[in-house]
Amino acid sequence: SYVEDTTVYNYKLNKNWKVGVKSWAQYEYHVTDAAGFCLEVGPQLVYALNSNFSISPSISLPLAVSNKVYDGPKSVATDQAYLDIFIQIKI
């Protein structure tokens, strides 16, 4: 069982660009292992070409890690940081 939250706060710079911060948190309960928790945060940039296409690169840095979380970082360390690129296309 798990509970997961992704939150994004953006500030609109102009009609095409936004800057902001993104966080991801997950709490997992395991029957055979200890419960796990993970919290990541990082900067995000959004470029919207128009209302049908946007691209959002972000860097995620782990702030808190406790036990095992599926797809979560193994520790709080800079070598656990990663780059995400989210592309949204409306058709």
Side-chain angles (χ1 to χ4, degrees), residues 60-73:
S60 293
L61 306 163
L63 288 186
V65 175
S66 176
N67 299 321
K68 183 180 175 184
V69 174
Y70 181 73
D71 279 349

Side-chain angles (χ1 to χ4, degrees), residues 1-28:
S1 300
Y2 71 93
V3 175
E4 179 178 24
D5 175 69
T6 300
T7 302
V8 177
Y9 292 102
N10 283 328
Y11 176 77
K12 189 172 186 175
L13 297 173
N14 58 41
K15 80 173 201 174
N16 296 99
W17 291 96
K18 295 179 191 176
V19 295
V21 65
K22 177 177 94 168
S23 72
W24 175 72
Q26 185 163 320
Y27 175 81
E28 289 187 12

